[in-house]
Structures are given as structure tokens and as C-alpha cells.
């Protein structure tokens, strides 16, 4: 729906918006600001439940830092590919643009592959969304992030095949910019998730006893 | 307007000539002063270097983006390295990690998402969402006793 | 732009009348009307729920409805009034008035706007269908965990609630993005931010709050829904889950939500009071700043809903301070409105009466609100009828009266006919008296210890008289709403035609015909000052009220698009299709699943259907040009 053009864009005479920012770009940034609260809520939920799981497996038993570091690196590099794609699109270099867009989509797909591998490994080790608080919060948070990545990959593939069939126009460059903003946002969310859940939360273990847990809530 | 209180209120809140709210206008013929920014030459030189280099998107070349990408990769490596060395930072581990993550976050937002080169309004929009998220969730976590460990119950 | 042939199964709507033209409409005025009519219907439904509640409580040990039904009624009454009445009614005014007040021809994303409405409609229908499909939600409008878990709420009601509100959340988010962009980007030339009407300012603050608060409740509802449908542990104490987390997430959304409900009404009276006092708004910058400060500080007070949870003295003190502080900008607004009215030439018509009633009732509600900013006092008032009295004074005495003020004020602009004044006065006085009869005694009831949400009470508690009065007051409110309906019917069937500018208004919407043509402004206006239209009509006042003759109002410039016709976005069915797909996609998690082989997961196939429909609609939406070839 970010594709919805506006009354203004149809007509040059009022194309200049008050802020000098196109409507779609402003919409995208407002959406990203709003999405900060969305992922913020999930991350905060994860943090509230750190060290509170009453049954295994615990983070330090299942998390695999080397593999996740590689997938983090892949996602970071996809961001680099994205910004290069946009750069070449603005310079009207169609071939390079399409190459880098496909590179982004492939890297995103590789990241998703890592995530699928990670999820299946965890499930095989006995961690499901029902097994404990860690499983619940971890799978739902990273799962929603993965859904965002999936949508980004589909969006970019659609763009690579549809919009760039014809000549590159200023409008499709802006389409690509929207997709890019979204993609980078997905990337920065993963930057936070990687640090907070994997690196900081790695040592998290067994939850404290329920009674102490209750006492800490009461503030005793 | 005979009433003295009315007059006082008018001066305070009305938008008329005598109002305290009405700010004097700058003569439009007055030339724009050279703008050095609020901090002038204060601060570490590296900041100026970044500031000048990135102003207006002049440096936005594939080479520059690649440098940024390599930098991000290096920062990730550093993070993982810090993670592997046990207890090097002691209780500052979390702080250092969060600062590194924030640094990567800011680099991506500023250069890959072009906020540094774009209109300031977009920075305002995104920062307001991000800061409100950080503020409310930090408050929530501290209320829930997750930031400082909950005080131990006496044995 | 290269067009890509996309296999569309539905063609564009072409007719501008009839049912299909409403389903395909992207006109902000028609969407506003749809919002308004829907919200009013839900106002009646929520009102009937309230009447049954009052009927049950009219005497001691009454058995008009069972406790189970009673729980469903008060839950749905709260949910309906908050999410399906006040928010969409505000959205109706935003839709109608924001583009007109800023001199735009439509909102920034007309099809997204249509999508918001349809998603809202499907969400509300789904939520209300629960009455017939095994029982409505019955855990209270803020659905505290773990009462909402499968153990204590075994039926489907709470699942309906979680999924339905998620749909409403998506609708609100889409609408809020749209309005933020519209207000920031589409103002008429010359209308800087500090020359915008206050209503537009309040719309901006409200929508910023919506954009940032809705994701939080969406996450909480997703977690609740997953707990109920997939058996996750978010709020399950047996696995260590903390019900207090729900309270935090809910009130993190819930307190900004309070301002989302009241700020539009504040914006409305900031428009009506100057017009009917024939004075400029007193301290425009102060009132705008107060609104913005409320919008920011509203984020840091949520735990005052949780004083009795036991968060500890530090948290309680901090939230006490922030709660008392937020009364300051609210008070600033009250004084600004009083300053606006003071010394003015008052035109006491129905709209003005509702505006004045708003101020008085809102002050009472605000003052009782400050009393429970203090934790010890709050501990006495928590979950009693005192709280019920407080938030009805704010939401009914505040929001609803303010919205009625806006309704009477803008009715001539929307329909071209004025609402009857004598019926209006009857409406106002019966509503005001009925309202105070209903909710005034609840203060005493609450301080006497009557808890909220009880379905009945024993004799001899000393609560009978007050409850009887409250029930009588509720009847009077019903009568007043009836008077309003009669008034509307009489007005619609009358042959009168209102002037373009019946109230001698100050803002741009009065400069165009009533009702406005589809393109709103034949010429995009040029704005020189705050209340520009007023000073265009009364150039001599520019000197009087501003003290200095800055510049004479510019003559309207020749139409800048060189005599060509005005292009408007063409109608489209795709927003409707996407809204259906999205709603089905979310609803599908409800019940119907098939097992996925070799896992213990199940596939909600209805969701898959919804997602497919939604994706198809989205593709159609993307590839459909905004304006049809050779279109209007």
C-alpha cells in the first residue's frame, strides 16, 4: 500500500509538498517510527522474562553464537547491497541495479534459511513455543522479525521482476527507496536482537524459584 | 478592555501588538549569517571530519557505502570477540554491548537509510518513535526490576 | 510510467451513486460519513448495553440478567464505546474536516483511507458477532491477564476480543499514518504549522499518539491471542509468566489512548468557542503547545492505573508526580477556553451549549482524576464506582459532548442543512441533566464502597437510592438520544438549505459550498495568517485584533493549473478487498485448522484464504493507476 500514489503526484502543479518530502517517503518513516514500538514491545517482553523460565531448555543450552554471527553478517551485507542498488538506480544504471536487488533478495533468503535451520535445531533440542517462557518469547520475537524479512524478500523480488521490466523511471526509483528503507529497518531490528538476545542473553539460565519471583514483584 | 485583568491577560495571551507572545520579525533583507552550527568549532576534530564529509550526501558513493559496510562487519566481529573473552568487561559487559549495538544502529540509520543526507523532519519523526520506545520500555523494565536486580530477600 | 498488465478480475467502479459507489469510494467526505454513521450505530448498541446494565443495577438483588450476561455487557459496553464509538467518530471528523481545514482536495492516500474504514468495519462486525457465536468477551474492557487465559475464560469470547481488536488496531494505524502525512504535507500554500486551526493540530497529536501507541496494544493482543490459540506462555503463571506484563503493555497503550479519545473533542471546542464568541482563540500558541505536551507526557503516566498492583514506593511516587504534572497542560487549555469565551459576544446555539457543557463536565472529570493521582487515595477508589464516575465524566462529559458540539457545528457543512435548534436545545439539556443524574451519584456510590463490575448488591447497603437515580438518569440520556435522532430525521427530510457559512466561521472549510463539491476547493486557497478566512471576510478586524496591519489579504490567485479540469483519484474496490483479506487472515486463527503433517502444528486454512485474497487485492491495488484513463 506504500505504492498508493497521491492526488498530488498525478499533477505537477502541486507536486511540491509543504515539507519537501514526498508523501510516500514520509509515510514510510512514520511507519518505521511506529514499528519501533512494535518490536520494542516484543523485545521488552523478552527482557521482562529473562531468567524467568521455570523449565529447560535455557538460552545457554541452545543458542549457537557462531552460526548466528554468520547470519547477522549476511543480513548486514544485504543492507550494503540494498544501498548500492538504490545508488545505481538513482544513477540510471539498470543492470547493476537489478544485480544488487537480486543480491539483497538472495542474502535475505540465506538469512531466512539460517533462521529455519536454527528453529528446527531448537525444536529438535526440545525448545518449542510451549515449552517455557524463553521458547515463547524467543520464537515469537524472532518469528515476527523473520516474517518481516520474508515480506521484504517478496517485495524486492516483485520489484526486480515487475518494475524493472520497463525503463527505469523516477517513480520506480522511489519505489526502490521505500523497499530499501524497510529493508534497512529490518536490519537494524536484527542488530538489536542479535546483541540483546544472543550476546547479552546467552548466559541466561534457569529461572529463580516461583516464590522469590513473586517476592521480587511485590518488591520485598 | 477597561478591565485591568482583561488587559493583563490580553498582553499575556493575545496575539496582538502589545502581546508578550508576539516575537519581533527579522527583516528579510538582512543577509543570512554564516551558519557554523550550535557547537561551532567545539568538540573533537573527528566529529568535524564526519560532519563535513557527510553533509548533504556529497560522499554518497559506492566506495563510501562499502567502507560503511566493512565497518559494520568489523563492529560485529568486535562484538563477538568481546563476547568470547570471558569477563573482560565485568559488569560493564552489557553496557559495552549495548553501546556497540547502538553505534551500528545509528550508522545504518544515518548512512544506509540516508537520514544524514535527508530532511531533518524525517530524523525528527524516526527519533521520536525510537526514543519514546526506548524511554517507556526502560521505565517498564526498571519498574519490573529487570534493569537492576531485584533486592534480595533477607535470609 | 510503464503499466504492467495485471490480471484484474474486477473492473473499476464507475457509477457515483448506489451501493457499489460507496464500497468503491475513496472520497474523504464519503468515508467520513461512513465512519460517522457506523460510529453512531455502535453508539446506540453500546447505549442499549448500558441501559441493560443500569436496569440490572436499579434495585438491590435484581435478576434482570444473569451475572454471565452482565459480564459480557459491561465488557462489550466499554470496548464498544472506546473503540467503536469515540475513536471512529473522531476519525469521521478528521476525515471530513482535516482536508477541508488545510485546503486540500483529499487526504494523502485516499485508497489507504478507504482500507482503514473497511478494516474497522469488519473488525467491529466480527467483535459483535461474538454475542451470537457462543458468548461475547466477558473479562472487562482491559482484559487483565490471566483472567483472559484459557483456564478462566474457556469460551471463545476473549479470542474474539483479541483478534477483533487486532483488526481495529491495523485500521487505526493505517488511518493515523495517512493523517500524519496529510497534515504535514498537504497544507495550503502559506499555512505554516502555527497557522493551522487547532482542530488540525489536535488531529496531528492524536494521530501521532495512535501511530505510536497502537503497536503496543497490537503486540499485547497478539501475545494474548497466541496464548489462547497456540498455547504459548506469555501470561501463563504456571510457566512463570507475569500477568503484570499485560497490565504494563495494556496501559502503555491505554493511557495515550485516553488522550486519543479526548484530544479530538478538545480540538472541536477550540474551533466552536471562538466562532460562537466572535473572538479569536485565546492564546493559540499556548493551547497548541499544551496539546503537544500532553501528547508527550501522556507516555509517562501509565502506571497510575496500576498503583494497587504493588510496584513499590519508588515507581508509585514517580508516576504520581508525572500524573499530577500532566494536569498542568490540561488546565492551560481550560483557562484558554475560558479566556476565549470571556468578554465575547456569545451566540448560545446548540453547538455552543455542548461546547460549554464540555468544559464544565470535563473540569469535574479532570478534578476527580487528580484525586486518584495519589496512591493512598487511589487505593480506596480503585475498582469502585468512583472510577466509573470519573472516566464517564471525562469520556461522556468530555468526548461525547465535544463530539456532539462538532456534529451540530459542522452539520450544515456536511449535509447542507442545519440541525433544528429547538430540538437541539432539548437534546442538550436532557443529555446534560441525564448525564449528571447518571454519573453524579456514582461518586457517592464509589466512596460508599460499591465495587464496579458487580452484577448485583445486597439490600441495606445504602446504595439503592443512588442506583435508582442513576438508572433514571440513564433513561433520560436515552430520551435525549431519541430527541437527537428525531432532530436528524426532521432535518434530513426538510427542504431547507443552509448557507455556505452559517456561523460566520473562521476556518477554510466555510469558504466553500455546503455540502462541499467532490473536489472541495475549486482553487487551492492561499493562507496568510491564522484564521485566514475570517480576516478575508473582515479585513478591518485584522487591525483590531492583531494590533498591526501586516499585509492585506492577498487577492485569490488565478487557478494555478491553467484552466485544466481537476483530477481526483478514481474509485477503487481494492481497499475493500484487501480489508476483507486482512480481516479473514486474522479471524482465521480463531478456530478452523488442519494438521500439518509430521509436526504438532496446525494450519489455520481460513487465514491462508484470507492472506491469498489480501495479496491479490494488494497486487491489484499496486498496479491500478490512481486516476482512471480519461477519468473524472
Amino acid at each position: 500500500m506504500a505504492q498508493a500514489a497521491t492526488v498530488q503526484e498525478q499533477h505537477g502543479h502541486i507536486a511540491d509538498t509543504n515539507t519537501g518530502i514526498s508523501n510516500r517517503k514520509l509515510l514510510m518513516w512514520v511507519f518505521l517510527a511506529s514499528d519501533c514500538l512494535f518490536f520494542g514491545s516484543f523485545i521488552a517482553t523478552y527482557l521482562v522474562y529473562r531468567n524467568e523460565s521455570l523449565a529447560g531448555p535455557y538460552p545457554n543450552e541452545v543458542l549457537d553464537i557462531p552460526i548466528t554471527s554468520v547470519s547477522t553478517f549476511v543480513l548486514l551485507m544485504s543492507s550494503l547491497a540494498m544501498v548500492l542498488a538504490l545508488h545505481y538506480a538513482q544513477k540510471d544504471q539498470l543492470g547493476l541495479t537489478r544485480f544488487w536487488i537480486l543480491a539483497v533478495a538472495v542474502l535475505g533468503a540465506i538469512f531466512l534459511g539460517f533462521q529455519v535451520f536454527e528453529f528446527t535445531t531448537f525444536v529438535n533440542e526440545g525448545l518449542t513455543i510451549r515449552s517455557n517462557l524463553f521458547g515463547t518469547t524467543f520464537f515469537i520475537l524472532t518469528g515476527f522479525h523473520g516474517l518481516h524479512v520474508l515480506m521484504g524478500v517478496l517485495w524486492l523480488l516483485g520489484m526486480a521482476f515487475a518494475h524493472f521490466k520497463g525503463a527505469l523511471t523516477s517513480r520506480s526509483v522511489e519505489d526502490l527507496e521505500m523497499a530499501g528503507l524497510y529493508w534497512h529497518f529490518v536490519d537494524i531490528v536484527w542488530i538489536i536482537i542479535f546483541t540483546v538476545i544472543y550476546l547479552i542473553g546467552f548466559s541466561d539460565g534457569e529461572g529463580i524459584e516461583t516464590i522469590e519471583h513473586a517476592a521480587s514483584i511485590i518488591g520485598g | 478592555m477597561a478591565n485591568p485583568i482583561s488587559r493583563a491577560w490580553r498582553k499575556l495571551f493575545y496575539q496582538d501588538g502589545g502581546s508578550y507572545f508576539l516575537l519581533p520579525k527579522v527583516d528579510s533583507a538582512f543577509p543570512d549569517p554564516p551558519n557554523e552550527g550550535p557547537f561551532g568549532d567545539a568538540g573533537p576534530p573527528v566529529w568535524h571530519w564526519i560532519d563535513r564529509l557527510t553533509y548533504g550526501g556529497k560522499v554518497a558513493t559506492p566506495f563510501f557505502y562499502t567502507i560503511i559496510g566493512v565497518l559494520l562487519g568489523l563492529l560485529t566481529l568486535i562484538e563477538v570477540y568481546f563476547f568470547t573473552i570471558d569477563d573482560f568487561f565485568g559488569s560493564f559487559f552489557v553496557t559495552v554491548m549495548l553501546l556497540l549495538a547502538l553505534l551500528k544502529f545509528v550508522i545504518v540509520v544515518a548512512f544506509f537509510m540516508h537520514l544524514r543526507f535527508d530532511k531533518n523532519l524525517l530524523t525528527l519523526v524516526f527519533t521520536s518513535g525510537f526514543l519514546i520506545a526506548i524511554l517507556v520500555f526502560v521505565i517498564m523494565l526498571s519498574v519490573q526490576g529487570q534493569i537492576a536486580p531485584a533486592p534480595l530477600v533477607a535470609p | 510510467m510503464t503499466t504492467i498488465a495485471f490480471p484484474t478480475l474486477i473492473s473499476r467502479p464507475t457509477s457515483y451513486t448506489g451501493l457499489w459507489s460507496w464500497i468503491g469510494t475513496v472520497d474523504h467526505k464519503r468515508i467520513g460519513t461512513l465512519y460517522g454513521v457506523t460510529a453512531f450505530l455502535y453508539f446506540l448498541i453500546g447505549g442499549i448495553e448500558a441501559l441493560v446494565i443500569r436496569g440490572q443495577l436499579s434495585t438491590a438483588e435484581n435478576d434482570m440478567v444473569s451475572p454471565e450476561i452482565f459480564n459480557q455487557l459491561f465488557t462489550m459496553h466499554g470496548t464498544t464505546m472506546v473503540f467503536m464509538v469515540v475513536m471512529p467518530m473522531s476519525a469521521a471528523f478528521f476525515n471530513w474536516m482535516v482536508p477541508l481545514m488545510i485546503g486540500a482536495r483529499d487526504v494523502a492516500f485516499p485508497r489507504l483511507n478507504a482500507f482503514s474504514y473497511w478494516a474497522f468495519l469488519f473488525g467491529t462486525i466480527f467483535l459483535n458477532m461474538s454475542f451470537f457465536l457462543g458468548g461475547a468477551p466477558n473479562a472487562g474492557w482491559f482484559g487483565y491477564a490471566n483472567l483472559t487465559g484459557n483456564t478462566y475464560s474457556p469460551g471463545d469470547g476473549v479470542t474474539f476480543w483479541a483478534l477483533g481488536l487486532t483488526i481495529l488496531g491495523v485500521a487505526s494505524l493505517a488511518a493515523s499514518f495517512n493523517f500524519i502525512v496529510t497534515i504535514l504535507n498537504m497544507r495550503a500554500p502559506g499555512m505554516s504549522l502555527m497557522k493551522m486551526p487547532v482542530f488540525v493540530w489536535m488531529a496531528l497529536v492524536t494521530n501521532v499518539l495512535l501511530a505510536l501507541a497502537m503497536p503496543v496494544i497490537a503486540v499485547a493482543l497478539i501475545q494474548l491471542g497466541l496464548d489462547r490459540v497456540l498455547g504459548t506462555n506469555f501470561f501463563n503463571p504456571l510457566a512463570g509468566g507475569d500477568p503484570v506484563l499485560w497490565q504494563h503493555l495494556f496501559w502503555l497503550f491505554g493511557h495515550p489512548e485516553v488522550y486519543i479519545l479526548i484530544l479530538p473533542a478538545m480540538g472541536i471546542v477550540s474551533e466552536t468557542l471562538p466562532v460562537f464568541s466572535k473572538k479569536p482563540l485565546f492564546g493559540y500558541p499556548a493551547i497548541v503547545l499544551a496539546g503537544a505536551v500532553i501528547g508527550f507526557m501522556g507516555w509517562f503516566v501509565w502506571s497510575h492505573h496500576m498503583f494497587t498492583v504493588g510496584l513499590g514506593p519508588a515507581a508509585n511516587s514517580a508516576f504520581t508526580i508525572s500524573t499530577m504534572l500532566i494536569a498542568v497542560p490540561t488546565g492551560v487549555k481550560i483557562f484558554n477556553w475560558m479566556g476565549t469565551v470571556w468578554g465575547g459576544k456569545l451566540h448560545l446555539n446548540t453547538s455552543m451549549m455542548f461546547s460549554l457543557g464540555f468544559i464544565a463536565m470535563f473540569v469535574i472529570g479532570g478534578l476527580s482524576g487528580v484525586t486518584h493521582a495519589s496512591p493512598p487515595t487511589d487505593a480506596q477508589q480503585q475498582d469502585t464506582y468512583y472510577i466509573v464516575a470519573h472516566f464517564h465524566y471525562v469520556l461522556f462529559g468530555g468526548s461525547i459532548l465535544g463530539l456532539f458540539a462538532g456534529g451540530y457545528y459542522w452539520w450544515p457543512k456536511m449535509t447542507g442543512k442545519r440541525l433544528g435548534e429547538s430540538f437541539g436545545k432539548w437534546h442538550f439539556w436532557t443529555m446534560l441533566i441525564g448525564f449528571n443524574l447518571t454519573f453524579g451519584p456514582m461518586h457517592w456510590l464509589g466512596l460508599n464502597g460499591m465495587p464496579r463490575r458487580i452484577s448485583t448488591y445486597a439490600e441495606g447497603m445504602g446504595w439503592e437510592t443512588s442506583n435508582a437515580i442513576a438508572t433514571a438518569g440513564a433513561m433520560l440520556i436515552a430520551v435525549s438520544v431519541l430527541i437527537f435522532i428525531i432532530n436528524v430525521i426532521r432535518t434530513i427530510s426538510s427542504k431547507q438549505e443552509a448557507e455556505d457559512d452559517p456561523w460566520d466561521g473562521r476556518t477554510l472549510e466555510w469558504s466553500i459550498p455546503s455540502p462541499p463539491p467532490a473536489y472541495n476547493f475549486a482553487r487551492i486557497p492561499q493562507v496568510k495568517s491564522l484564521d485566514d478566512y475570517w480576516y478575508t471576510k473582515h479585513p478591518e478586524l485584522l487591525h483590531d485584533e492583531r494590533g498591526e496591519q501586516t499585509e492585506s489579504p492577498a487577492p485569490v490567485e488565478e487557478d494555478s493549473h491553467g484552466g485544466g479540469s481537476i483530477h481526483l483519484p478514481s474509485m477503487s474496490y481494492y481497499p475493500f478487498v484487501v480489508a476483507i483479506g486482512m480481516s479473514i487472515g486474522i479471524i482465521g486463527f480463531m478456530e478452523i485448522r488442519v494438521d500439518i503433517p509430521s509436526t504438532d502444528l496446525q494450519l489455520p486454512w481460513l487465514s491462508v484464504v484470507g492472506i491469498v485474497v489480501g495479496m491479490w487485492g494488494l497486487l491489484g491495488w499496486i498496479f491500478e493507476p490512481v486516476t482512471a484513463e480519461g477519468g473524472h
Side-chain angles (χ1 to χ4, degrees):
Chain A
M1 58 201 82
Q3 313 278 333
T6 68
V7 194
Q8 297 184 338
E9 285 171 16
Q10 295 294 307
H11 317 287
H13 61 277
I14 40 171
D16 293 330
T17 57
N18 299 88
T19 54
I21 305 161
S22 84
N23 283 349
R24 295 193 302 157
K25 194 162 168 183
L26 188 55
L27 179 96
M28 197 66 203
W29 276 105
V30 175
F31 165 70
L32 296 183
S34 165
D35 231 20
C36 282
L37 272 289
F38 184 83
F39 279 108
S41 306
F42 273 121
I43 294 173
T45 304
Y46 184 88
L47 291 177
V48 164
Y49 287 150
R50 264 185 85 188
N51 288 320
E52 305 269 348
S53 294
L54 299 180
Y58 302 107
N60 52 14
E61 296 165 13
V62 290
L63 289 184
D64 189 342
I65 300 296
I67 284 189
T68 319
S69 304
V70 174
S71 73
T72 306
F73 186 75
V74 167
L75 200 59
L76 277 175
M77 288 308 111
S78 78
S79 248
L80 174 60
M82 186 72 237
V83 79
L84 290 176
L86 181 61
H87 180 83
Y88 288 120
Q90 283 161 344
K91 294 273 183 293
D92 257 351
Q93 295 178 342
L94 185 54
L96 279 170
T97 307
R98 197 186 282 169
F99 169 77
W100 283 115
I101 291 181
L102 288 175
V104 179
V106 167
L107 288 170
I110 292 175
F111 175 82
L112 282 177
F114 271 110
Q115 201 162 29
V116 170
F117 170 75
E118 186 185 35
F119 279 17
T120 36
T121 318
F122 286 4
V123 170
N124 289 339
E125 289 174 33
L127 185 75
T128 68
I129 52 171
R130 297 188 193 127
S131 54
N132 59 7
L133 280 178
F134 168 62
T136 296
T137 49
F138 174 83
F139 278 121
I140 301 301
L141 168 58
T142 52
F144 265 97
H145 179 265
L147 270 183
H148 274 69
V149 177
L150 180 65
M151 282 194 283
V153 169
L154 292 179
W155 186 354
L156 287 165
L157 285 179
M159 197 159 275
F161 289 112
H163 269 270
F164 291 91
K165 247 181 176 173
L168 207 60
T169 65
S170 60
R171 194 175 150 70
S172 44
V173 170
E174 207 188 38
D175 284 349
L176 188 60
E177 198 179 352
M178 299 303 106
L181 288 177
Y182 176 84
W183 190 263
H184 296 309
F185 181 78
V186 170
D187 183 28
I188 54 180
V189 170
W190 187 257
I191 288 176
I192 304 284
I193 291 179
F194 178 63
T195 304
V196 168
I197 292 185
Y198 288 87
L199 298 183
I200 295 178
F202 179 75
S203 53
D204 290 355
E206 195 171 348
I208 46 174
E209 290 299 315
T210 322
I211 201 86
E212 282 181 42
H213 167 78
S216 78
I217 291 172
I218 295 162
Chain B
M1 275 302 134
N3 186 338
I5 305 177
S6 288
R7 254 202 316 274
W9 277 32
R10 188 178 179 116
K11 270 199 171 298
L12 274 173
F13 292 115
Y14 267 42
Q15 315 206 329
D16 61 22
S19 165
Y20 298 132
F21 269 2
L22 204 71
L23 296 171
K25 287 200 180 103
V26 179
D27 189 350
S28 60
F30 196 81
D32 283 343
N35 201 344
E36 297 161 350
F39 299 108
D41 279 332
V46 62
W47 173 249
H48 289 291
W49 182 73
I50 295 173
D51 202 44
R52 266 201 302 280
L53 198 67
T54 58
Y55 181 76
K58 274 176 287 194
V59 289
T61 59
F63 175 71
F64 175 75
Y65 290 135
T66 314
I67 297 285
I68 296 287
V70 170
L71 186 63
L72 286 170
L74 279 180
L75 282 172
T76 311
L77 266 182
I78 292 172
E79 276 191 318
V80 178
Y81 173 69
F82 283 169
F83 170 77
T84 50
I85 46 175
D86 268 0
D87 256 0
F88 182 69
F89 291 105
S91 55
F92 288 103
F93 174 70
V94 173
T95 319
V96 171
M97 283 311 199
L98 286 179
L99 283 178
L100 281 172
L102 191 67
L103 184 60
K104 284 161 75 183
F105 186 99
V106 170
I107 288 175
V108 173
V109 174
F111 300 121
F112 281 3
M113 293 168 93
H114 297 139
L115 264 195
R116 178 72 188 103
F117 315 139
D118 228 320
K119 297 258 192 256
N120 285 340
L121 176 71
L122 296 179
T123 311
L124 179 74
V125 166
F126 186 68
T127 320
S128 60
F130 181 66
L131 280 188
I132 283 190
I134 295 283
L135 280 173
V136 294
F137 292 122
V138 163
I139 294 174
M140 182 181 124
L141 288 170
S142 59
V143 167
Q144 284 297 85
Q146 285 290 345
I147 290 191
L152 287 176
V153 185
Chain C
M1 180 176 135
T2 17
T3 46
I4 286 119
F6 177 71
T8 47
L9 295 184
I10 45 179
S11 56
R12 291 193 98 108
T14 46
S15 161
Y16 284 87
T17 51
L19 174 69
W20 293 105
S21 75
W22 284 94
I23 289 179
T25 189
V26 293
D27 182 354
H28 70 98
K29 299 179 284 297
R30 284 188 150 204
I31 293 170
T33 307
L34 287 171
Y35 264 116
V37 170
T38 318
F40 189 74
L41 290 177
Y42 282 117
F43 181 61
L44 298 182
I45 293 175
I48 291 168
E49 285 157 3
L51 282 180
V52 179
I53 293 172
R54 282 317 319 166
Q56 163 69 17
L57 290 174
S58 56
T59 58
E61 286 167 21
N62 198 355
D63 57 354
M64 196 173 122
V65 291
S66 68
E68 171 52 29
I69 300 287
F70 189 85
N71 289 351
Q72 298 178 12
L73 284 174
F74 71 67
T75 302
M76 282 306 286
H77 169 72
T79 308
T80 304
M81 287 302 186
V82 169
F83 293 100
M84 306 179 210
V85 177
V86 178
M87 283 171 69
M89 196 55 102
S90 308
F93 284 117
F94 292 163
N95 264 294
W96 254 100
M97 289 308 154
V98 164
L100 296 184
M101 285 177 139
I102 63 176
R105 293 214 167 107
D106 207 323
V107 292
F109 301 94
R111 291 183 292 182
L112 187 61
N113 200 18
F115 165 80
S116 303
Y117 171 73
W118 294 115
F120 155 74
L121 181 71
F122 298 140
T124 55
I125 291 175
F126 172 68
L127 202 44
N128 277 285
M129 266 169 22
S130 60
F131 273 116
F132 313 105
L133 297 174
N138 55 3
W141 87 274
F142 40 74
Y144 269 7
N146 51 350
L147 178 62
T148 48
N150 281 327
T151 323
Y152 302 106
S153 296
D156 279 337
V158 176
T159 317
F160 270 102
W161 186 77
L163 300 182
L165 285 190
T166 310
I167 300 174
L168 294 192
V170 175
S172 293
L173 274 176
S176 70
F177 300 156
N178 202 344
F179 279 105
I180 292 172
V181 175
T182 305
I183 294 170
L184 287 179
N185 256 359
M186 298 185 63
R187 284 164 281 135
M191 184 182 276
S192 62
L193 285 177
M194 290 310 273
K195 288 176 187 164
M196 290 198 309
V198 179
F199 179 70
V200 181
W201 256 110
M202 292 306 116
L204 180 62
V205 176
T206 306
N207 282 300
V208 168
L209 283 175
L210 269 174
L212 298 182
M214 274 294 161
V216 183
I217 190 67
V219 167
L221 290 167
I222 288 169
Q223 293 174 348
L224 172 64
L226 290 171
D227 266 12
R228 291 184 61 86
V229 176
L230 291 183
T232 53
N233 297 319
F234 284 109
F235 306 116
N236 175 14
L238 288 180
D242 189 350
V244 178
L245 175 68
W246 168 270
Q247 302 189 14
H248 275 300
L249 290 178
F250 187 87
W251 291 118
L252 249 176
F253 147 82
H255 206 82
E257 169 76 9
V258 172
Y259 294 105
I260 290 166
L261 298 173
I262 192 66
L263 283 174
M266 288 177 164
I268 288 171
V269 299
S270 304
E271 294 303 322
T272 56
L273 289 173
V275 167
F276 296 125
S277 307
K278 295 278 175 287
K279 278 176 65 186
L281 187 67
F282 182 74
Y284 171 87
I287 213 163
V288 167
L289 192 67
V293 168
I294 287 177
F296 179 71
M297 283 174 58
W299 283 96
F300 304 103
V301 296
W302 80 88
S303 280
H304 67 215
H305 297 268
M306 302 161 63
F307 277 151
T308 53
V309 168
L311 299 174
N316 281 359
S317 317
F319 281 100
T320 302
I321 292 168
S322 62
T323 306
M324 289 185 173
L325 270 182
I326 205 169
V328 174
T330 320
V332 166
K333 279 173 174 281
I334 305 273
F335 281 110
N336 276 315
W337 294 323
M338 293 189 339
T340 306
V341 177
W342 192 7
K345 293 195 168 66
L346 299 196
H347 179 193
L348 286 175
N349 59 13
T350 312
S351 177
M352 182 64 165
M353 300 300 283
F354 270 108
S355 309
L356 295 176
F358 163 88
I359 298 178
M361 296 303 109
F362 182 74
V363 166
I364 298 177
L367 286 177
S368 63
V370 174
T371 63
H372 32 254
S374 159
T377 327
D378 182 70
Q380 301 299 312
Q381 299 163 350
Q382 170 91 15
D383 267 344
T384 68
Y385 261 83
Y386 191 86
I387 299 287
V388 178
H390 157 69
F391 66 68
H392 279 96
Y393 266 86
V394 178
L395 289 183
F396 193 122
S399 300
I400 299 281
L401 291 192
L403 290 169
F404 270 122
Y408 277 88
Y409 176 59
W410 279 311
W411 197 276
K413 182 49 63 188
M414 295 174 183
T415 64
K417 292 171 180 179
R418 272 198 222 196
L419 280 173
E421 273 301 309
S422 56
F423 271 82
K425 291 279 166 60
W426 275 103
H427 171 206
F428 170 72
W429 283 111
T430 44
M431 182 164 267
L432 190 77
I433 294 169
F435 163 73
N436 278 295
L437 280 181
T438 313
F439 300 108
M442 288 185 187
H443 289 110
W444 285 273
L445 279 175
L447 294 180
N448 255 332
M450 178 165 166
R452 68 196 275 205
R453 295 175 173 162
I454 49 166
S455 64
T456 192
Y457 48 91
E459 280 175 52
M461 301 290 285
W463 298 342
E464 284 97 334
T465 325
S466 298
N467 270 311
I469 295 173
T471 304
M475 303 288 181
L476 197 55
I477 295 177
V479 170
S480 78
V481 174
L482 212 59
I483 295 174
F484 175 70
I485 294 171
I486 295 170
N487 195 2
V488 168
I489 293 171
R490 271 171 50 102
T491 309
I492 289 175
S493 54
S494 71
K495 288 206 164 38
Q496 55 137 331
E497 278 183 30
E499 310 88 317
D500 293 347
D501 183 14
W503 315 120
D504 200 8
R506 313 181 71 89
T507 37
L508 286 175
E509 78 269 28
W510 302 108
S511 66
I512 54 174
S514 308
Y519 48 83
N520 294 351
F521 294 89
R523 288 168 177 162
I524 297 296
Q526 305 272 326
V527 177
K528 295 281 183 201
S529 66
L530 182 66
D531 293 340
D532 191 64
Y533 181 53
W534 173 259
Y535 295 112
T536 312
K537 288 187 294 186
H538 308 285
E540 73 285 359
L541 291 178
L542 197 58
H543 184 76
D544 278 5
E545 291 182 358
R546 292 302 162 91
E548 53 178 314
Q549 186 82 31
T550 44
E551 46 204 317
S552 61
V556 179
E557 285 175 19
E558 202 42 53
D559 198 3
S560 48
H561 48 86
S565 63
I566 299 168
H567 293 266
L568 286 175
S570 303
M571 296 197 280
S572 170
Y573 289 130
Y574 288 112
F576 185 78
V577 175
V578 177
I580 286 188
M582 195 240 4
S583 304
I584 295 177
I586 293 179
I587 293 166
F589 282 96
M590 187 86 198
E591 201 60 72
I592 310 151
R593 297 194 206 94
V594 286
D595 290 324
I596 302 174
S598 76
T599 63
D600 61 343
L601 294 175
Q602 293 169 311
L603 185 71
W605 63 266
L606 196 58
S607 290
V608 177
V609 172
I611 289 167
V612 169
V613 171
M615 291 308 281
W616 169 65
L618 201 59
L619 285 173
W621 181 335
I622 290 168
F623 289 110
E624 183 186 56
V626 174
T627 311
E629 300 280 319
H632 175 63

